Amino acid sequence: MSYYYRPPKGNHATIIFFQAFGGDSDYYNFKTVIDNLSQDDGILTFDYLGYGLSDITDQPQTLPNTVNEFRQLFASLNLGSTVIFAHSIGGVFALYDYLNFSNRVIAFVSIEPTTYEVVHAHPQGAELFAEAADEFHQLTPDQKTARQKDLAIQGDINPLLSAEDTAANTKILAGKMYNRNLVAQTQNWKAILKPIANQKLPNQLPTLLFSTPNRQAEFKQSGYVTQHPKSRVVVLKGNHYLHWQYPKLIATTTDQFINSLG
């Protein structure tokens, strides 16, 4: 499993980044946020199997299998205090991980985490992705190369990355486009989400959630927001990839939130 780890300084926690569905590099996906975080923060980014620079796996795409894969990495690093930072489907993996393994997590930060309700509201998503994958794999090598070159233009890459980083992440994502692990995940979304359908983070855990205006009511009733006195929902105008639009604000707010916990 491919990962990047920067140890924390002093008593600071390590922030673990859980990426959204897609297949690009977790590090490059969050890089503009990471660059604006305190240099004292520990940083851990990792690519799920089938994503980024990690290998494609033959294991069934279930929630326990996915979490067990990166749980072994976390254990090998012997992490101290950690903060979860999850986006979209990464919220599902992080929630399951926390409820089953994590006893050193001091806070849970998320950006528009996936809820059970939103997947049920888009039942054709898996079918459409599978059709797109079939279409892609029928292209000639030259046609595939042309499609891959358009990734940054199509909005699949963080638009605030430098030209060098954009090129690097485009190459990584191009190598993982529509691979069998991604197709299997989309086909198994409902089964993957079922274990956390009625699960909630405990109220003793402080949470920070970034939401677009039209989803704040959904998230306030979700299992990602607790009743801890420090918990809050921050509403920002934009799209699902708020960290690509407000990296400095999100980084600063996250550090202030963590520091407020003492």
Side-chain angles (χ1 to χ4, degrees):
M1 177 170 283
S2 177
Y3 70 94
Y4 165 81
Y5 176 52
R6 184 182 80 192
K9 296 178 182 178
N11 294 323
H12 283 250
T14 294
I15 303 175
I16 306 176
F17 290 86
F18 292 73
Q19 70 191 103
F21 176 81
D24 70 331
S25 159
D26 188 36
Y27 174 74
Y28 286 121
N29 193 299
F30 287 105
K31 188 176 187 297
T32 48
V33 172
I34 293 170
D35 287 347
N36 284 287
L37 288 167
S38 168
Q39 289 299 305
D40 293 332
D41 294 332
I43 300 295
L44 174 59
T45 65
F46 64 99
D47 297 332
Y48 315 130
L49 294 184
Y51 285 62
L53 294 174
S54 289
D55 294 334
I56 294 174
T57 179
D58 292 324
Q59 289 291 319
Q61 293 297 295
T62 66
L63 186 53
N65 280 352
T66 299
V67 173
N68 284 334
E69 288 161 355
F70 59 71
R71 174 48 44 189
Q72 296 176 39
L73 168 64
F74 296 175
S76 72
L77 294 174
N78 194 28
L79 302 172
S81 297
T82 60
V83 173
I84 286 173
F85 193 116
H87 174 228
S88 195
I89 196 65
V92 172
F93 300 144
L95 177 59
Y96 184 88
D97 177 62
Y98 176 83
L99 294 174
N100 288 276
F101 299 103
S102 301
N103 56 8
R104 295 183 176 179
V105 175
I106 63 171
F108 194 109
V109 180
S110 58
I111 301 173
E112 299 238 316
T114 299
T115 62
Y116 196 63
E117 291 76 16
V118 77
V119 171
H120 275 269
H122 299 86
Q124 294 183 318
E127 180 180 342
L128 293 174
F129 187 84
E131 290 176 358
D134 287 340
E135 176 188 339
F136 178 78
H137 290 304
Q138 291 173 15
L139 297 176
T140 66
D142 287 344
Q143 289 173 325
K144 287 182 179 180
T145 299
R147 179 80 64 86
Q148 291 164 344
K149 287 182 178 179
D150 288 338
L151 289 172
I153 299 174
Q154 294 168 355
D156 295 313
I157 301 292
N158 184 342
L160 299 182
L161 290 173
S162 67
E164 181 180 359
D165 290 341
T166 295
N169 199 24
T170 298
K171 182 178 180 180
I172 291 170
L173 179 55
K176 286 296 194 294
M177 280 184 71
Y178 297 117
N179 73 72
R180 65 179 184 272
N181 290 164
L182 297 179
V183 173
Q185 277 191 351
T186 61
Q187 292 172 335
N188 295 334
W189 275 148
K190 291 183 180 179
I192 288 174
L193 268 68
K194 191 172 182 179
I196 59 96
N198 298 310
Q199 299 297 312
K200 294 180 179 294
L201 292 168
N203 285 329
Q204 67 266 27
L205 182 71
T207 58
L208 172 64
L209 188 149
F210 296 93
S211 168
T212 50
N214 63 327
R215 296 189 69 187
Q216 58 179 312
E218 170 195 346
F219 290 130
K220 286 180 179 179
Q221 298 177 17
S222 74
Y224 296 106
V225 178
T226 69
Q227 297 302 310
H228 188 281
K230 297 285 187 178
S231 292
R232 55 187 293 218
V233 174
V234 177
V235 180
L236 299 171
K237 293 182 179 180
N239 60 41
H240 187 54
Y241 288 81
L242 290 170
H243 57 301
W244 293 358
Q245 299 170 283
Y246 303 95
K248 187 172 184 178
L249 174 62
I250 287 176
T252 300
T253 304
T254 297
D255 269 333
Q256 291 174 344
F257 171 67
I258 296 170
N259 292 337
S260 75
L261 304 179

